[in-house]
């Protein structure tokens, strides 16, 4: 970093994740405002403790509709639409199954198939009744639970980006535990350099570096939260059809997009599609790019439209689809 372009980094821990804000000015008041915004959003959306608006919805399952804030209503509406996309593995009503696995929360045993099947009966996104006029959400069956864990960080990263824009900031980076959103680029460099973690590597071990300007970079990988039993990895991205962790050729999917919520949505969706279908999908959606890391040590970029990528680990093989 050039000396006339000093980066000021502010960090904290929120949502159980390390949060990093980079600015190009000493502005602790703004950093505090950003962290307050994240905390406020977490307080609305968390499903791990009461009170939160989403918890209130879950606690009233099978009983009555619950009034929520406009932003929470919109996020739930978006999550429902994505869950209802054809062949989507994304399902925001997967809460009962997520809770049962407890992955990332000391989970260490495999639930019985009967238990998973019983819980999957309570995971139908069609049973989430939205009333636009009243701004209410009603979970029609007792025992249903919304889980926004797959999109909350992306949504909040976009809220932070909007706040920074509002405050006249044109160059910044926010990293919400792996969900990165950027504004502009550092003056002295072509873009923001974002490390791509090596799956199951040491904490600071990178496969490569992604360089972006004004883009979000979101990675979802099976190595983030998992437990191991009898040589098998059980991770936190679940197949909403079977209730088991998704099992395919992928170790991680990274999405480069304008909005971080899209990054969050599409990491899960493309995870479910796998490389071949995922690439075909992206060919028809040029606003999104992806980097797939496979079990057989390939790093496959959908294109180089929106980012540069430098491979650092030559045990992996890099290829571009376009
Ligand atoms: P993270 O960035 O924290 O690793 P992801 O964006 O990859 O999170 O989403 C994983 C989280 O989403 C899980 O911890 C769980 O709460 C929820 N989840 C798991 N499987 C699904 C699914 N099929 N559809 C929607 N949400 C899911
Ligand atoms: Mg996600």
């Amino acid at each position: 970093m050039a000396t006339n372009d000093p980066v000021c980094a502010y960090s904290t821990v929120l949502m159980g994740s390390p949060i990093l804000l980079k600015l190009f000015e000493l502005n602790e008041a703004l950093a505090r405002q950003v962290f307050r915004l994240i905390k406020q959003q977490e307080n609305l959306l968390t499903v791990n403790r009461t009170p939160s608006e989403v918890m209130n919805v879950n606690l009233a399952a099978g009983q009555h509709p619950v009034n929520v804030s406009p932003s929470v209503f919109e996020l739930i509406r978006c999550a429902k639409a994505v869950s209802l996309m054809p062949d989507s593995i994304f399902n925001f009503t997967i809460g009962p199954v997520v809770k049962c696995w407890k992955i990332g929360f000391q989970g260490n045993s495999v639930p019985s198939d009967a238990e998973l099947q019983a819980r999957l009966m309570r995971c139908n996104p069609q049973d989430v009744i939205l009333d636009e006029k009243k701004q209410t959400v009603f979970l029609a069956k007792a025992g249903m639970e919304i889980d926004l864990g797959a999109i909350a960080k992306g949504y909040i990263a976009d809220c932070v980006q909007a706040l920074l824009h509002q405050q006249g900031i044109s160059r910044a980076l926010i990293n919400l535990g792996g969900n990165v959103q950027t504004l502009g680029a550092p003056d002295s460099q072509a873009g923001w350099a974002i490390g791509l973690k090596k799956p199951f590597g040491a904490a600071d071990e990178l496969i490569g570096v992604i360089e972006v300007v004004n883009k979000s970079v979101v990675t979802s990988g099976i190595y983030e939260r998992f437990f191991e039993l009898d040589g098998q990895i059980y991770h936190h991205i679940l197949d909403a059809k079977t209730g088991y962790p998704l099992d395919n050729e992928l170790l991680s999917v990274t999405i480069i997009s304008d909005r971080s919520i899209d990054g969050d949505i599409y990491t899960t969706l493309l995870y479910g599609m796998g490389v071949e279908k995922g690439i075909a999908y992206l060919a028809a959606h040029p606003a999104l790019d992806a980097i797939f890391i496979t079990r057989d040590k390939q790093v496959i970029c959908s294109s180089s439209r929106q980012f540069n990528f430098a491979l650092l680990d030559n045990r992996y093989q890099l290829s571009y689809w376009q």
Side-chain angles (χ1 to χ4, degrees):
M1 192 70 54
T3 46
N4 62 347
D5 190 21
V7 68
C8 299
Y10 299 90
S11 59
T12 184
V13 174
L14 289 167
M15 306 186 292
S17 299
I19 311 286
L20 175 71
L21 172 69
K22 287 186 179 178
L23 299 171
F24 287 91
E25 57 189 73
L26 263 178
N27 195 338
E28 221 170 302
L30 180 58
R32 268 203 302 274
Q33 204 181 343
V34 165
F35 295 155
R36 211 178 309 127
L37 172 72
I38 297 168
K39 186 80 201 147
Q40 279 163 356
Q41 291 298 332
E42 183 192 12
N43 288 345
L44 292 174
L45 302 172
T46 184
V47 290
N48 296 317
R49 59 185 154 74
T50 42
S52 90
E53 289 197 359
V54 176
M55 275 300 273
N56 291 344
V57 170
N58 287 347
L59 290 170
Q63 297 171 43
H64 57 83
V66 172
N67 190 260
V68 296
S69 310
S71 61
V72 175
F73 189 86
E74 275 315 305
L75 190 59
I76 289 175
R77 183 163 51 185
C78 167
K80 180 174 175 181
V82 175
S83 302
L84 293 176
M85 281 168 70
D87 301 323
S88 175
I89 70 133
F90 189 103
N91 181 344
F92 80 122
T93 60
I94 200 159
V97 179
V98 171
K99 290 270 167 72
C100 176
W101 281 97
K102 297 198 265 309
I103 294 171
F105 295 91
Q106 276 98 47
N108 57 10
S109 58
V110 179
S112 72
D113 203 46
E115 174 80 43
L116 288 174
Q117 293 311 316
R119 286 176 180 248
L120 280 170
M121 308 276 281
R122 294 185 255 133
C123 300
N124 184 354
Q126 297 279 20
D127 291 334
V128 180
I129 315 298
L130 301 178
D131 187 325
E132 168 119 43
K133 256 204 193 119
K134 294 185 185 152
Q135 295 277 296
T136 58
V137 183
F138 176 44
L139 307 185
K141 283 191 186 147
M144 285 182 75
E145 286 183 54
I146 286 178
D147 179 341
L148 298 174
I151 55 169
K153 281 194 278 185
Y155 166 75
I156 297 172
D158 290 336
C159 294
V160 170
Q161 185 197 41
L163 171 72
L164 293 171
H165 268 309
Q166 246 173 40
Q167 298 295 323
I169 302 291
S170 55
R171 296 178 299 151
L173 175 147
I174 181 82
N175 184 346
L176 299 184
N179 272 61
V180 176
Q181 180 57 287
T182 67
L183 283 77
D187 255 3
S188 51
Q189 291 165 22
W192 291 101
I194 295 154
L196 182 56
K197 273 190 191 162
K198 180 175 166 183
F200 302 108
D204 55 354
E205 225 176 333
L206 299 180
I207 273 196
V209 176
I210 305 165
E211 191 182 59
V212 292
V213 177
N214 247 335
K215 295 282 172 197
S216 155
V217 179
V218 178
T219 299
S220 205
I222 66 170
Y223 54 87
E224 286 167 38
R225 278 182 278 150
F226 67 92
F227 67 85
E228 204 169 345
L229 192 67
D230 300 330
Q232 174 88 23
I233 299 270
Y234 295 93
H235 62 84
H236 71 311
I237 306 164
L238 302 173
D239 182 336
K241 304 242 166 3
T242 65
Y244 287 91
L246 206 83
D247 190 17
N248 61 15
E249 76 276 27
L250 288 167
L251 293 179
S252 78
V253 178
T254 299
I255 296 286
I256 297 99
S257 55
D258 287 336
R259 295 196 319 156
S260 203
I261 189 168
D262 291 334
D264 231 353
I265 290 168
Y266 282 97
T267 45
T268 305
L269 285 180
L270 290 191
Y271 212 101
M273 290 181 203
V275 177
E276 218 178 294
K277 277 191 187 155
I279 292 279
Y281 186 89
L282 292 169
H285 295 82
L288 301 170
D289 262 322
I291 303 173
F292 300 91
I293 302 181
T294 64
R295 290 179 196 270
D296 64 355
K297 293 199 160 42
Q298 293 190 57
V299 179
I300 304 164
C301 301
S302 61
S303 81
S304 54
R305 286 176 294 224
Q306 314 188 58
F307 65 98
N308 293 319
F309 183 74
L311 188 69
L312 298 179
D313 188 330
N314 58 18
R315 280 163 295 185
Y316 286 77
Q317 199 193 353
L318 176 64
S319 62
Y320 287 85
W321 204 263
Q322 279 183 8

